[in-house]
Amino acid sequence: MSDFQARLVRWVPLLFVLLWSTGFIGAKYGLPYIEPFYLLFIRMLLTLVVFALLMRIFRARALGPRQALHQMVVGLMVHGAYLGGVFAAISWQMPAGIASLLVGLQPLLTALIAWQWLGSRLRSLQWVGLLLGLLGVALVLAGRGSGASGELVWTALLALVLALVGISVGTLYQKRFGQGVDLLSGSFYQYLSTALLMGLLSFGFETQKVDWQPELFLALFWLVVGLSVSAILLLMLMIREGEAARVASYFYLVPPVTALEAWWLFDESLAPVALGGIAIAVLGVYLVIRPARVTAPAIPATGAGVKGSG
């Protein structure tokens, strides 16, 4: 890898966080005009068309039946459970602050699952970083005043728990079974299984009524191009090239960045406690991704090895 490519790769996590943080904004614009599962069903169909074109243009490597099946399982967890849970919870009147806080537990849950399932070892300083990240997210949400009022609906809470578990397990599953898979081909099969799931949910439980407004068109465009294509490809690249806990730690930055975007776009003020939370979250991520002084494998040789970026 050349020096230019190495420098470019360093910007991937930042770009991912910026893109991923806009997902809630896209959902906010689109959900008033369409039901959540039907919105995701249309989004997945459009995304499949885009990925089919990208696969043809870049001559993506075909997957074997076993690899394709693994990628479809990843899609059900990373896209189906996560997106379906978050979108359903928001449509069921779950306060945005509480939703963000619960989904923001993903890095800690991923680290715990990796510790038990993959034998991943975390240094003491990394555990401190994970806890600091969680504290920072909580402070940001408290500073914004989100979730201070509003009745919790148990179905919405269950949907968020499903989203949290889905993306946590899906990230580790991709790390374990998705090594060496072509990113375009793998993502295509992920979205294929998600489209099937959302189609079943929508036509089984929804009416498919749509109010086609400009806001919905813009939301769909951004959710497909900005999130389903750009952000997910960056996420799959990060999972392939990095440690599971390190990749998951970047999700801690999403709520703080979303808070900054809301301040910029909607003139929402940030309380001092929120600014402090942003600083703590950034410190937590730094502690998790900081290289160890003594090189040690994050995952035993019997599992999926960590593929170096060099």
Side-chain angles (χ1 to χ4, degrees):
M1 179 181 291
S2 66
D3 291 340
F4 174 75
Q5 289 175 318
R7 288 194 298 267
L8 189 62
V9 167
R10 294 192 189 103
W11 288 97
V12 167
L14 176 60
L15 181 58
F16 166 76
V17 169
L18 291 175
L19 291 173
W20 195 267
S21 65
T22 63
F24 285 101
I25 295 176
K28 181 178 178 180
Y29 275 112
L31 283 175
Y33 310 102
I34 189 173
E35 293 164 305
F37 297 137
Y38 195 50
L39 171 60
L40 289 171
F41 177 62
I42 296 176
R43 172 182 172 180
M44 294 304 119
L45 292 181
L46 294 174
T47 303
L48 284 172
V49 173
V50 174
F51 269 89
L53 293 174
L54 291 175
M55 290 170 63
R56 185 176 181 85
I57 292 173
F58 293 100
R59 298 180 180 179
R61 187 172 67 254
L63 304 185
R66 190 179 184 86
Q67 288 180 318
L69 180 60
H70 281 313
Q71 291 305 298
M72 292 183 75
V73 173
V74 171
L76 291 177
M77 292 185 289
V78 172
H79 308 302
Y82 176 76
L83 292 177
V86 169
F87 276 55
I90 293 176
S91 69
W92 292 336
Q93 307 305 312
M94 170 64 74
I98 296 178
S100 299
L101 178 60
L102 291 177
V103 177
L105 296 173
Q106 187 237 342
L108 184 57
L109 181 59
T110 299
L112 292 173
I113 296 175
W115 177 43
Q116 290 292 324
W117 184 23
L118 299 180
S120 179
R121 295 181 180 180
L122 295 177
R123 306 185 308 275
S124 299
L125 201 58
Q126 287 181 301
W127 283 110
V128 173
L130 288 169
L131 294 176
L132 283 177
L134 178 59
L135 174 62
V137 169
L139 289 176
V140 169
L141 296 174
R144 292 181 64 194
S146 300
S149 61
E151 182 180 356
L152 288 177
V153 180
W154 73 269
T155 51
L157 182 61
L158 183 61
L160 284 176
V161 171
L162 177 64
L164 171 62
V165 173
I167 194 168
S168 299
V169 176
T171 298
L172 293 171
Y173 191 96
Q174 173 70 359
K175 184 65 184 177
R176 177 65 179 85
F177 297 105
Q179 293 296 306
V181 172
D182 183 274
L183 291 178
L184 292 177
S185 299
S187 298
F188 179 86
Y189 282 101
Q190 291 175 22
Y191 287 124
L192 177 61
S193 63
T194 307
L196 294 174
L197 174 63
M198 293 305 157
L200 290 174
L201 291 174
S202 179
F203 288 94
F205 301 100
E206 294 179 336
T207 64
Q208 295 81 53
K209 292 182 179 179
V210 183
D211 182 12
W212 292 106
Q213 297 294 329
E215 292 84 354
L216 179 56
F217 283 106
L218 291 175
L220 270 173
F221 173 80
W222 182 249
L223 288 172
V224 171
V225 176
L227 274 297
S228 293
V229 177
S230 302
I232 291 299
L233 283 178
L234 291 178
L235 176 61
M236 294 299 110
L237 177 63
M238 289 165 58
I239 292 174
R240 188 179 69 183
E241 300 295 335
E243 302 170 15
R246 180 179 297 184
V247 171
S249 69
Y250 290 114
F251 283 89
Y252 271 137
L253 293 178
V254 173
V257 171
T258 302
L260 292 173
E261 291 171 348
W263 168 75
W264 180 50
L265 295 173
F266 306 110
D267 199 27
E268 294 182 2
S269 60
L270 287 172
V273 65
L275 295 175
I278 292 175
I280 292 174
V282 172
L283 174 61
V285 172
Y286 170 74
L287 292 178
V288 172
I289 67 177
R290 180 184 178 186
R293 293 184 178 180
V294 179
T295 303
I299 299 175
T302 54
V306 176
K307 185 177 179 180
S309 59

